């Protein structure tokens, strides 16, 4: 292993420009003659739009135009689509009410887009927005997930009776019933997976720029997947030929899933730029982000686990109500179905699983993928259920997991919920985690805490994740509206440098470093000679972008295939230069050699020859530029064990995480330092959900947590120094042997944290977030009961 190759902890190349303020984000871009957009948003969760009076706003100084849904309707602008069709238990497609970029008949959540003001300055646009008079007819709101299907619940959409989007099942209910009938013990739990607001460091932004000379558009956007955004806008919303729209996503300051989707604002800015014959820019205020970014999670679940007398799992039943919000976001339907229920097997050999998911519409912001997207929700169900089962059965929580782990010799393992795991060694991760946390010494640490008037608890989370979303043919048959492959172009320049054009967009993951390591290691060139280019549909081959921890496993595999093509073509050129047969030419560490001789040529020499072909093999095209597409055969399945240890002060309710061990199997690791950073960040977000974050709407649909005054984010002093370990079972079906890592911490952390807190308090269950007040009340309730 070289100091900069695969497996080396190379410092991130991109960080210098970020840390010195030289990043280039969408809001840093300003186009000549640029105008500014500000949106008029509904203050009501549910209201008829009886009329919009634009006159005062249009007359305001600096205002160039005011547009409403009627203006977009006149131009035949379509609805924002949902890209995954879910077929319900009756064989019918999910209900898909239209979601127009500017509302036409009704506003359906606080923050819904009603009109847009375009003006010469941001201040002018914002001031004029106050002058737009909207005649609202306020209606009752369906704001609560658990009450959305009540008989007397207000109807969000006329074409979704009972506010039901779909009633979907996975598994055989009769088989599950039979397993439960033979059970020695059944554990039952009720869970709430609390609603979250993403809060990326950089708010969403967009600039639409129409060029009358070429009759084409450029959209600058804070997008995780610019090609997918381009496809949706052209094919479904604006009706453009694809060659008439270029999407550029420059540096993006965090996404966590919330920047995957096609939003109203970027649609409106693109469309409006032609109407006003000038670029139109919009950047979200943080309050707009709270109300209009797609939210995450928001499940209510009842789950049951059947066991025999030894704690072996016989069957599982899960019934979940999932909130979709007021409209279907781009991939909302897939999150509580194919990205959730298919992971309910966890790391265990549970033979029968039945899941029923009912998705409901409410008068709240749309809900879609947020870091983990269905996998955190599934892990929370499974690992809370297993933890409670261990306590009810009187079995050590580590031991009950061991008894039910899939064993290494059982792979590939077909789960009862559609997925087939290719490889894993869950016991090895458990062994390492127990040793790192000093599980044998926990009883002593608990006694020490009790002597100091504190409560100490320990909690496990043995998670598994499905990354990459694959293969395209299978997920297409399940309703996915797009392929899930990835592309890469590797261009060896004449002077020895390499440009890599990847469809995987980076918004914090460190692609410029890890992809450079992969290319440098494969081609045997210095890492500083590698340039990574991403985010521009004008220069990148058609691609799917970044989501679902797929960048290295799918995007990296495409890069590896393109590099292989580079090497094979170079081998032919090198053979010609060295007057040898192609079969006799070997390649290693950037050098081609004729086997058994001292003849050799560097790959840089070969590249120069490819562009200055004076001595060149017949039938080989000049140039050294290769493109590859990679469509994965299966998901990758990273898995691991996280153990959280907490200490609670019962007099204040303050919970301190005193230790955290994360042992993960990510397959082959390209850059351990980058991986550890991803794990740290994921745990921080998961702990944030477990302890602090909670999006709350009142009964009328008003957002009560619309700022950082009310929505509590984790800070450095809320977190311990995480200790990270790695085990390795290589993925068997991609050329790199890698698995995803970006979401693992967020998947494992909520269950580990709540399991530790309930263990400390001596209770079976509590809802997230475990706020100080909630913990204080539970601690003192337990103390009074004991007395």
């Amino acid at each position: 292993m070289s100091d900069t190759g695969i497996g080396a902890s190379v410092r991130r190349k991109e960080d210098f420009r970020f840390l010195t303020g030289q990043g280039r984000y969408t809001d840093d871009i300003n186009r000549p003659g640029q105008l500014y957009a500000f949106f008029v948003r509904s203050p009501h969760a549910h209201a008829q739009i009886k009329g919009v009076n634009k006159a005062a706003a249009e007359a305001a100084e600096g205002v160039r135009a005011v547009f409403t849904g009627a203006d977009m309707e006149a131009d035949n602008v379509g609805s924002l689509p949902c890209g995954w069709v879910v077929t319900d238990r009756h064989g019918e497609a999910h209900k898909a009410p239209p979601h127009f970029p500017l509302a036409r008949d009704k506003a359906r959540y606080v923050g819904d887009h009603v009109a847009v003001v375009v003006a010469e300055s941001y201040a002018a646009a914002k001031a004029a927005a106050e002058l737009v008079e909207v005649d609202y007819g306020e209606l009752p709101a369906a704001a609560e997930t658990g009450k959305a299907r009540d008989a007397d619940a207000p109807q969000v959409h006329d074409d979704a009776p009972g506010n039901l989007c779909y009633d979907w099942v996975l598994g055989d209910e009769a088989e599950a019933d039979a397993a439960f009938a033979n059970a020695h013990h059944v554990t039952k739990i009720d869970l709430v997976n609390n609603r979250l607001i993403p809060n990326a460091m950089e708010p969403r932004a967009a600039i639409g720029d129409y060029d009358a000379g070429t009759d084409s558009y450029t959209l600058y956007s804070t997008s995780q997947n610019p090609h997918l955004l381009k496809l949706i806008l052209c094919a479904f919303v604006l009706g453009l030929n694809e060659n008439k729209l270029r999407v550029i996503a420059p540096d993006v300051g965090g996404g966590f899933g919330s920047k995957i989707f096609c939003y109203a604002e970027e649609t409106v800015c693109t469309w409006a730029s032609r109407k006003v014959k000038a670029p139109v820019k919009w950047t979200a205020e943080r309050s707009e982000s709270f109300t209009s970014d797609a939210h995450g999670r928001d499940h209510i679940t009842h789950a049951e686990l059947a066991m025999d007398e030894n704690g072996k799992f016989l069957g599982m039943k899960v019934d979940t109500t999932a909130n979709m919000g007021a409209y279907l976001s781009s991939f909302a339907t897939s999150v509580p179905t194919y990205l959730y229920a298919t992971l309910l097997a966890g790391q265990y050999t549970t033979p029968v699983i039945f899941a029923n998911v009912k998705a409901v519409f409410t008068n709240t912001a749309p809900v879609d993928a947020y870091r983990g997207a269905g996998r955190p929700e599934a892990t929370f169900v499974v690992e809370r259920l297993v933890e409670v089962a261990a306590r009810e059965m009187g079995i050590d929580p580590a031991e009950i997991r061991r008894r039910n782990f899939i064993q290494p010799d059982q792979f590939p393992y077909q789960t009862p919920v559609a997925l087939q795991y290719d490889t894993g060694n869950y016991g090895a991760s458990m062994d390492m985690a127990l040793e790192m946390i000093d599980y044998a010494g926990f009883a002593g640490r608990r006694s020490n805490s009790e002597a100091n008037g504190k409560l100490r608890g320990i909690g496990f989370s043995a998670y598994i994740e499905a990354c990459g979303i694959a293969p395209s043919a299978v997920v297409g048959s399940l309703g996915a509206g797009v392929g899930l492959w990835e592309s890469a172009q590797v261009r060896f320049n004449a002077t020895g440098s390499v440009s890599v054009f990847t469809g995987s967009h980076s918004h914090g993951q460190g692609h410029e470093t890890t992809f450079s390591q992969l290319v440098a290691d494969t081609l045997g060139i210095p890492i500083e000679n590698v340039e990574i280019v991403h985010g521009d549909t004008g220069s990148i081959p058609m691609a799917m972008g970044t989501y679902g921890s797929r960048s290295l496993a799918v995007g990296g595999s495409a890069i590896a295939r393109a590099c292989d093509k580079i090497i094979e073509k170079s081998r032919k050129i090198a053979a010609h230069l060295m007057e040898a047969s192609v079969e006799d030419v070997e390649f290693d560490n950037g050098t081609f050699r004729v086997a058994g001789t001292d003849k050799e040529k560097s790959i840089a020499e070969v590249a120069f020859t490819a562009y200055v072909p004076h001595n060149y093999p017949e039938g080989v095209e000049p140039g050294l530029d290769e493109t590859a597409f990679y469509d994965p055969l299966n998901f990758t399945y990273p898995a691991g064990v996280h153990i959280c240890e907490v200490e609670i002060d019962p007099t204040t309710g303050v919970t301190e995480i005193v230790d955290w061990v994360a042992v993960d199997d990510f397959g082959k690791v390209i850059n351990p330092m980058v991986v550890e950073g991803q794990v740290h960040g994921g745990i921080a977000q998961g702990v944030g959900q477990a302890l602090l974050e909670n999006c709350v709407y009142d009964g009328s649909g008003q957002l009560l947590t619309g700022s950082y005054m009310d929505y509590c984010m984790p800070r450095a002093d809320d977190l311990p120094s995480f200790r990270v370990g790695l085990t390795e079972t290589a993925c068997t079906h991609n050329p790199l042997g890698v698995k995803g890592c970006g979401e693992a911490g967020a998947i494992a952390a909520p269950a580990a944290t709540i399991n530790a807190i309930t263990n400390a308090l001596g209770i079976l269950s509590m809802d997230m977030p475990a706020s100080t007040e909630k913990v204080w009340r539970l601690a003192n309730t337990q103390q009074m009961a004991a007395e």
Side-chain angles (χ1 to χ4, degrees), residues 685-740:
Q685 283 186 274
V687 169
Q689 176 178 14
L691 295 182
L692 302 164
E693 299 182 52
N694 196 28
C695 175
V696 180
Y697 286 89
D698 70 10
S700 68
Q702 290 296 321
L703 180 62
L704 300 182
T705 53
S707 76
Y708 293 129
M709 294 294 290
D710 302 294
Y711 188 90
C712 188
M713 298 285 288
R715 301 180 301 183
D717 60 357
D718 294 312
L719 305 168
S721 293
F722 307 117
R723 296 188 289 135
V724 176
L726 293 173
T727 59
E728 181 182 321
T729 59
C731 177
T732 61
H733 55 77
N734 68 54
L736 300 175
V738 299
K739 307 176 185 181

Side-chain angles (χ1 to χ4, degrees), residues 652-710:
T652 63
V654 171
T655 300
E656 180 186 1
I657 299 176
V658 294
D659 202 0
W660 191 290
V661 164
V663 177
D664 302 287
D665 176 4
F666 298 132
K668 192 168 186 176
V669 171
I670 301 296
N671 186 317
M673 182 176 65
V674 168
V675 165
E676 185 167 347
Q678 288 285 303
V679 172
H680 286 195
I683 296 172
Q685 283 186 274
V687 169
Q689 176 178 14
L691 295 182
L692 302 164
E693 299 182 52
N694 196 28
C695 175
V696 180
Y697 286 89
D698 70 10
S700 68
Q702 290 296 321
L703 180 62
L704 300 182
T705 53
S707 76
Y708 293 129
M709 294 294 290
D710 302 294

Side-chain angles (χ1 to χ4, degrees), residues 232-306:
I232 292 172
L233 286 173
C234 290
F236 302 105
V237 186
L238 298 178
L240 302 174
N241 288 331
E242 223 173 322
N243 65 324
K244 294 297 183 181
L245 176 62
R246 176 185 181 187
V247 177
I248 299 173
D251 289 326
V252 173
F256 313 117
S258 69
K259 294 175 181 173
I260 294 172
F261 322 121
C262 180
Y263 284 96
E265 292 90 353
E266 53 210 359
T267 305
V268 171
C269 286
T270 305
W271 169 81
S273 68
R274 179 169 186 165
K275 303 294 286 186
V276 298
K277 298 180 173 58
V280 177
K281 180 176 183 177
W282 169 80
T283 301
E285 294 185 347
R286 186 58 68 176
S287 60
E288 291 182 287
S289 298
F290 272 93
T291 57
S292 64
D293 285 6
H295 294 177
R297 316 292 192 246
D298 205 346
H299 286 192
I300 296 175
T301 296
H302 175 78
E304 301 184 5
L305 180 64

